[in-house]
Amino acid sequence: MDRRLTRLLPPVLILGALFLFAPAYLSRDLWFDEALTFLDFAQRGSPLAIYRSYVIPNNQILYTIALHYWFQLLPPGIEPVFWFRLLSFLFGIATLLLFYRFFRVRMAGGTILLPVLTAMAVSVPFLIYATALRGYMPSALFIVLALHTALNFAGKPEWKRGFWYALASLGAVATIPSNLAVLAGVVLYALPLFGNGFWKRRAFWILALIPPAMFLLFYLPILPSFLGCLRLGEGWHSGWGALLAVLAAFVYSFAMLLLPGTGSLLALDRERFQWIRAMRLLIWLIPLPMALLLKVAPFPRVFFPFWPLWALLLAAGIRDLTALNCRLRRRWNRTVWIGALFAVAVGWGFLAQQPNLRLMFSRRFGGAGADDYFYGYYLRPEHTPSRTAFEIAERFEGRPLAVYASFQADPWPLMFYLNTSGADLRDFRFDGPRGPVKNLERGTLVILRSDESAQQIEQRFHRRLKLLFSNANHGVYTVER
């Protein structure tokens, strides 16, 4: 087979697998964080205004700026939410292609990366964040770029290579500040290139100190806002629970490749063992202090940018096992082996998409409706704020509307879809950081989640509600008196 065709086939198959599963994720409705990101931050007047508005971590600044300009490019006739999701999807495509381009030689040819990148592309977590209005997929892209430029700099320290590494590091921390911990993993991966006396090398210290320097460069001008975000204490209920969710998500994504991924242990040559190379295994442990030493554990989704590093470690195990099998078995067919792993990865991808299996993992490991990796409420068929909003707009066409939405009803997506539906939305209120809503006037529309009690709202506001319509997502009421 022509060598150029051999190089082209793996990325074509990887993207083909991605496009096979992506449509369902591209067409889903916005959820709370996504609508908040767009309405409260991406629509601000300028990049400087977005940068200065770091009041909650939801503003993942560099991504928000990219979304700001992407919105301005919205073509006529294109459904806006699909267009917004397309930005992260392009980041996801770039992540897969650059991962393959940068590391195929280090993995003894691109075929080794074929099953690993396919498993990643068709995994539920990747598909979620490759279509989300959030900064997790661009973070993964910046980590791939940082790792590539870090390895280049470690191999041959030059100021140009250091500059590109610094730029990639800046992109990572400017998107999400916790990516600083992922960049520590990048430094660990590059460590063996400096040799056993790495601490004596000036280039190593430059490599290690560039990420925190970029972090300070970006956040020092807005330090009061940054510290204010830290004081909010947003995160998950349990550090061990967050770690379990991350571990379960990685297993769920790469289930069929985990056993072949242990190939580095099977192929271990004790006489030639180098402890410096074993330091890369510490990358698996970086989430431990993040989850257990902080007062509030990060949300499990914060750890998604580790995926490229962990996938590369997994690929190294498959590479070593493949090399061992080729040495031990004269009739070993490498092509059949890689083809089988690819088929297994795609097959597991189909199985992993099944709602019942995802729901089981969501309840057991992900925190049920609030989970970040399996089947959160925003991924389920009943999450249809657009349907509720468009029915309201149709029923009350041309009439000014005052709306109250409960926090459980997902108010930010409702606000977004009411605005895009053409409804004359004069007043929209919900219980938020500025305090609870104190009263409801007669004629106000009240939107509750389908499993919420209207009676509790009546008792709270001393009003009587009349049901107008309901669907699987919401009940919509009007205040009678």
Side-chain angles (χ1 to χ4, degrees):
M1 184 180 293
D2 186 88
R3 184 173 297 179
R4 289 177 297 180
L5 183 60
T6 303
R7 290 181 179 179
L8 183 62
L9 187 59
V12 169
L13 291 174
I14 293 164
L15 292 186
L18 173 66
F19 282 105
L20 190 64
F21 292 95
Y25 291 82
L26 284 166
S27 60
R28 58 193 171 99
D29 275 9
L30 295 178
W31 73 290
F32 190 100
D33 281 7
E34 294 176 316
L36 172 60
T37 296
F38 176 74
L39 291 175
D40 208 28
F41 297 109
Q43 285 194 304
R44 293 182 182 265
S46 68
L48 184 59
I50 294 172
Y51 176 66
R52 290 174 172 172
S53 301
Y54 193 64
V55 291
I56 55 174
N58 203 275
N59 182 12
Q60 297 168 342
I61 297 174
L62 191 57
Y63 166 76
T64 309
I65 292 172
L67 183 61
H68 169 83
Y69 284 111
W70 186 252
F71 167 62
Q72 294 180 6
L73 297 174
L74 176 64
I78 297 292
E79 203 278 319
V81 174
F82 174 83
W83 178 252
F84 298 157
R85 296 198 183 284
L86 196 57
L87 176 61
S88 288
F89 192 61
L90 293 176
F91 283 129
I93 291 173
T95 299
L96 295 170
L97 292 180
L98 291 178
F99 193 115
Y100 175 80
R101 171 68 179 82
F102 292 155
F103 303 114
R104 62 183 178 81
V105 174
R106 296 180 186 276
M107 290 296 119
T111 54
I112 294 294
L113 293 177
L114 173 60
V116 175
L117 288 181
T118 299
M120 185 159 71
V122 303
S123 70
V124 173
F126 188 91
L127 289 165
I128 291 173
Y129 295 111
T131 56
L133 273 68
R134 309 294 286 122
Y136 300 103
M137 188 51 66
S139 292
L141 175 59
F142 281 121
I143 293 303
V144 169
L145 292 170
L147 182 57
H148 172 65
T149 51
L151 294 174
N152 284 347
F153 179 80
K156 188 177 180 181
E158 294 178 344
W159 76 266
K160 288 184 179 179
R161 296 184 175 195
F163 170 79
W164 290 116
Y165 170 61
L167 202 61
S169 299
L170 178 62
V173 296
T175 304
I176 303 176
S178 59
N179 285 336
L180 184 62
V182 191
L183 291 170
V186 169
V187 175
L188 277 174
Y189 196 94
L191 193 62
L193 277 68
F194 294 102
N196 290 339
F198 66 90
W199 61 86
K200 301 177 184 178
R201 300 280 303 277
R202 184 179 67 174
F204 164 73
W205 291 108
I206 292 174
L207 190 80
L209 293 175
I210 279 178
M214 295 300 101
F215 180 90
L216 293 173
L217 176 67
F218 191 79
Y219 288 102
L220 273 180
I222 54 171
L223 183 60
S225 296
F226 179 79
L227 295 176
C229 286
L230 290 182
R231 286 192 291 269
L232 291 175
E234 292 188 351
W236 234 41
H237 55 278
S238 163
W240 286 112
L243 291 172
L244 183 60
V246 174
L247 176 62
F250 191 79
V251 170
Y252 196 78
S253 300
F254 297 96
M256 298 296 105
L257 301 180
L258 294 179
L259 189 59
T262 63
S264 295
L265 298 177
L266 299 174
L268 180 64
D269 187 343
R270 295 183 180 180
E271 295 181 358
R272 297 182 180 179
F273 174 76
Q274 292 181 320
W275 69 269
I276 191 71
R277 291 190 176 275
M279 294 291 285
R280 287 176 174 171
L281 296 177
L282 294 176
I283 297 171
W284 296 103
L285 304 180
I286 293 176
L288 286 174
M290 295 177 65
L292 301 180
L293 298 183
L294 297 175
K295 290 183 179 180
V296 180
F299 290 108
R301 57 182 175 265
V302 167
F303 299 97
F304 177 76
F306 279 100
W307 250 240
L309 285 170
W310 292 339
L312 197 58
L313 293 172
L314 192 66
I318 296 175
R319 175 200 61 196
D320 293 344
L321 181 62
T322 303
L324 178 65
N325 286 333
C326 288
R327 289 197 304 268
L328 297 179
R329 303 181 184 183
R330 293 181 180 180
R331 297 183 179 180
W332 180 262
N333 191 314
R334 177 189 173 105
T335 303
V336 173
W337 163 244
I338 297 298
L341 291 179
F342 169 75
V344 164
V346 174
W348 172 250
F350 277 105
L351 181 62
Q353 301 296 326
Q354 298 306 307
N356 290 339
L357 186 61
R358 292 170 63 186
L359 187 59
M360 182 186 72
F361 269 77
S362 177
R363 290 171 174 170
R364 179 65 183 84
F365 304 107
D371 94 75
D372 292 331
Y373 287 127
F374 307 106
Y375 207 39
Y377 78 89
Y378 51 91
L379 297 167
R380 300 176 190 178
E382 61 267 24
H383 177 67
T384 55
S386 62
R387 177 182 170 187
T388 301
F390 281 93
E391 184 163 351
I392 289 174
E394 184 177 348
R395 283 172 175 258
F396 296 92
E397 184 178 1
R399 293 169 55 184
L401 298 178
V403 175
Y404 165 79
S406 72
F407 195 81
Q408 290 75 17
D410 233 3
W412 284 98
L414 286 168
M415 191 190 314
F416 172 86
Y417 286 112
L418 283 169
N419 284 328
T420 58
S421 68
D424 186 2
L425 190 61
R426 298 291 177 87
D427 184 27
F428 189 97
R429 289 182 287 170
F430 60 93
D431 303 315
R434 296 178 181 177
V437 174
K438 296 182 178 179
N439 59 77
L440 296 179
E441 292 77 16
R442 185 176 180 180
T444 299
L445 295 183
V446 175
I447 306 177
L448 306 180
R449 198 173 64 186
S450 57
D451 59 353
E452 284 187 274
S453 169
Q455 187 177 11
Q456 291 182 354
I457 300 297
E458 289 179 327
Q459 292 173 352
R460 173 184 165 185
F461 292 103
H462 305 288
R463 296 287 189 178
R464 179 171 292 180
L465 302 183
K466 177 183 178 182
L467 178 65
L468 294 179
F469 68 90
S470 63
N471 54 43
N473 195 176
H474 295 118
V476 179
Y477 304 80
T478 183
V479 177
E480 284 195 317
R481 59 179 177 86

